């Protein structure tokens, strides 16, 4: 367990996931050195924005809808969405620096420019996103924290869902994908409490991917290991 906070004025927030894995390749170090700063959505961390001034998304992206992916893993879905929907801007949040480096390589390869990257805890960017500023959000194969005593660490708790609901516009879509049945149970129990209504409720829709879906490496691993993907869609009230 580590804390995601460094500034003395920041609230204490435990962060339980990994921040770095195996040694980065030289090319990945280059991506981080050369590309990450230019892809920033604006001042997010407490060290650079201690007064928590809201991000100026219009200045950063122009007059386009803004989407948000929480925990983008290796970034394949984020880049796919950016390429498929060039008329929107997408912010990706991911504290695992190896995943960030993988994403930056994919951005270079795809040549997409309508996205921004925040390499940190999503709760920090929730602090500075304006109310109702995001039109769609994705939570795809989040850390399942399978042990019962760790379920409070999952993203689908009110600590995360309430600020997510605040930054989503009325009617905004929230997509969740997971291969863990108990994560589905907790999602269905907790997300509506934060002001969301489930859509695509038919039984067959639970296992039917969205039309613009790209399977992530986590989904491919789940399928190889015999687990079944679940796709949940909610609408912000």
């Amino acid at each position: 367990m580590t804390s995601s906070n460094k500034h003395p004025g920041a609230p204490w927030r435990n962060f339980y996931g990994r921040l770095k894995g195996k040694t980065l390749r030289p090319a990945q170090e280059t991506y981080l050195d050369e590309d990450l700063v230019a892809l920033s959505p604006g001042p997010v961390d407490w060290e650079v924005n201690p007064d928590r001034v809201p991000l100026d998304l219009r200045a950063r992206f122009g007059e386009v809808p803004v989407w948000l992916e929480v925990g983008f893993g290796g970034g394949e879905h984020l880049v796919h969405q950016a390429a498929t929907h060039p008329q929107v801007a997408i912010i990706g949040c991911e504290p695992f620096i190896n995943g960030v480096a993988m994403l930056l390589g994919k951005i270079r390869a795809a040549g997409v420019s309508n996205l921004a990257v925040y390499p940190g805890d999503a709760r920090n960017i929730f602090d500075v996103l304006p109310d109702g500023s995001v039109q769609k959000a994705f939570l795809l194969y989040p850390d399942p924290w399978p042990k019962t005593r760790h379920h409070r660490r999952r993203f689908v708790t009110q600590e995360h869902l309430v600020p997510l609901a605040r930054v989503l516009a009325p009617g905004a879509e929230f997509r969740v994908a997971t291969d863990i049945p108990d994560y589905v149970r907790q999602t269905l129990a907790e997300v509506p409490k934060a002001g969301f209504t489930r859509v695509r409720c038919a039984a067959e829709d639970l296992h039917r991917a969205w039309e613009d879906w790209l399977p992530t490496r986590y989904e491919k691993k789940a399928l190889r290991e015999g687990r079944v993907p679940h796709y949940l869609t909610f609408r912000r009230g």
Side-chain angles (χ1 to χ4, degrees):
M1 179 188 72
T2 62
S3 170
S4 62
N5 314 292
K6 297 178 182 178
H7 189 273
W12 177 261
R13 288 171 175 162
N14 288 337
F15 181 80
Y16 296 94
R18 293 189 302 163
L19 296 177
K20 190 171 184 181
K22 61 184 180 181
T23 302
L24 297 172
R25 298 192 301 271
Q28 293 177 321
E29 294 279 9
T30 298
Y31 302 154
L32 291 170
D33 291 341
E34 295 183 357
D35 298 354
L36 189 55
V37 171
L39 288 168
S40 171
V44 175
D45 288 326
W46 283 78
E47 292 84 355
V48 295
N49 189 355
D51 296 326
R52 314 316 281 150
V53 176
L55 298 176
D56 189 342
L57 298 179
R58 184 175 299 177
R60 176 64 176 81
F61 299 117
E63 297 283 351
V64 298
V66 175
W67 296 358
L68 175 71
E69 184 167 340
V70 176
F72 54 71
E76 57 269 33
H77 176 268
L78 184 63
V79 170
H80 168 74
Q81 290 291 341
T84 304
H85 302 284
Q87 76 282 6
V88 307
I90 310 178
I91 302 172
C93 303
E94 175 60 63
F96 187 53
I97 199 64
N98 298 65
V100 174
M102 291 174 64
L103 167 69
L104 297 180
K106 292 180 174 71
I107 291 173
R108 283 197 178 196
V112 291
S113 59
N114 56 324
L115 45 73
V117 183
Y118 172 60
D121 190 327
R123 289 173 294 185
N124 293 333
I125 202 166
F126 290 158
D127 289 346
V128 295
L129 282 171
D131 291 1
S133 60
V134 176
Q135 280 70 47
K136 185 178 290 187
F138 306 91
L139 178 69
L140 310 176
Y141 291 92
D143 194 323
W145 294 111
K147 295 181 180 179
T148 301
R149 69 177 184 271
H150 293 158
H151 286 184
R152 62 186 175 83
R153 300 180 182 180
R154 291 174 169 174
F155 184 89
V156 287
T157 60
Q158 298 306 300
E159 178 186 4
H160 301 92
L161 294 170
V162 169
L164 172 65
R166 181 189 63 78
V167 305
L168 287 177
E173 186 177 285
F174 176 38
R175 295 181 178 181
V176 182
T178 180
D179 59 307
I180 306 300
D182 187 68
Y183 207 101
V184 174
R185 176 203 60 77
Q186 188 170 343
T187 300
L188 292 174
E190 295 296 327
V191 172
K193 295 179 185 177
F196 294 86
T197 300
R198 186 182 172 197
V199 297
R200 290 189 0 141
C201 295
E204 60 270 20
D205 286 339
L206 185 61
H207 303 296
R208 179 170 60 85
W210 303 280
E211 290 184 1
D212 59 354
W213 173 246
L214 177 77
T216 70
R217 60 189 177 125
Y218 298 106
E219 177 163 297
K220 293 175 181 177
K221 179 184 178 186
L223 290 170
R224 287 196 304 269
E225 297 176 357
R227 295 189 299 276
V228 178
H230 301 72
Y231 309 98
L232 299 159
T233 309
F234 300 90
R235 191 79 63 192
R236 174 71 174 99

